[in-house]
Amino acid sequence: MKLIYAKLWLKKYIKYNHDKLDENKLNRAIINLSHRVYKSHGMKGHNVRQSIRSQLVEYSKAELAKYDVTFKRPLKVRYIQRHARVPTRRISHAVGYTILWIIKMIGLLIIVLIIYYILLHL
């Protein structure tokens, strides 16, 4: 599902239910829509899904303002920006390749010294 279709669905939902709208049902609808949009995008990460959800919440707030509907508790997204994780797999691969390269250079140096020793003493 694309984000634009999710917004259209929210618009229709609010239009037909604005007089008897339940905050919990609206929040649940936003969560379900954000999951559907997230799955269709093929992106990964908690922050991506939360950003989609925050866009849907902002859109629903704008739509609710058209019908003068307010809730006791405002719609909000409980989302804290997380710090970027260190890509440990990439680091371990880089360290492994570096060590392998050093071992190859040492082996090449030993082979060159053996050839030099043989040529020198013939």
Side-chain angles (χ1 to χ4, degrees):
M1 171 180 266
K2 292 191 175 194
L3 188 60
I4 186 92
Y5 298 130
K7 288 180 179 180
L8 289 174
W9 190 93
L10 272 175
K11 182 177 184 175
K12 181 177 142 185
Y13 181 78
I14 291 171
K15 177 181 177 182
Y16 290 111
N17 297 312
H18 70 274
D19 51 349
K20 57 185 184 306
L21 193 60
D22 182 22
E23 181 182 3
N24 292 330
K25 287 183 181 178
L26 181 61
N27 277 330
R28 179 52 52 191
I30 290 172
I31 290 169
N32 289 337
L33 286 171
S34 71
H35 282 289
R36 290 177 65 186
V37 171
Y38 171 75
K39 285 180 184 178
S40 69
H41 278 214
M43 294 183 280
K44 295 183 179 176
H46 182 72
N47 290 341
V48 173
R49 194 174 72 236
Q50 291 300 324
S51 69
I52 292 169
R53 189 176 299 168
S54 67
Q55 290 176 24
L56 291 175
V57 166
E58 292 302 318
Y59 182 77
S60 64
K61 284 181 185 178
E63 284 297 314
L64 287 170
K66 292 179 183 177
Y67 298 104
D68 294 327
V69 176
T70 57
F71 290 121
K72 294 176 185 173
R73 295 181 320 181
L75 293 173
K76 62 181 176 180
V77 177
R78 294 182 194 132
Y79 149 65
I80 299 170
Q81 183 70 27
R82 295 182 179 192
H83 298 292
R85 290 184 290 169
V86 177
T88 56
R89 183 173 176 214
R90 290 181 187 167
I91 291 173
S92 64
H93 281 286
V95 169
Y97 287 131
T98 304
I99 291 172
L100 187 63
W101 182 79
I102 290 171
I103 290 172
K104 285 180 182 178
M105 289 299 117
I106 290 173
L108 186 63
L109 182 67
I110 289 172
I111 291 174
V112 168
L113 289 176
I114 289 173
I115 292 173
Y116 180 73
Y117 181 76
I118 290 174
L119 290 177
L120 192 65
H121 290 304
L122 282 178

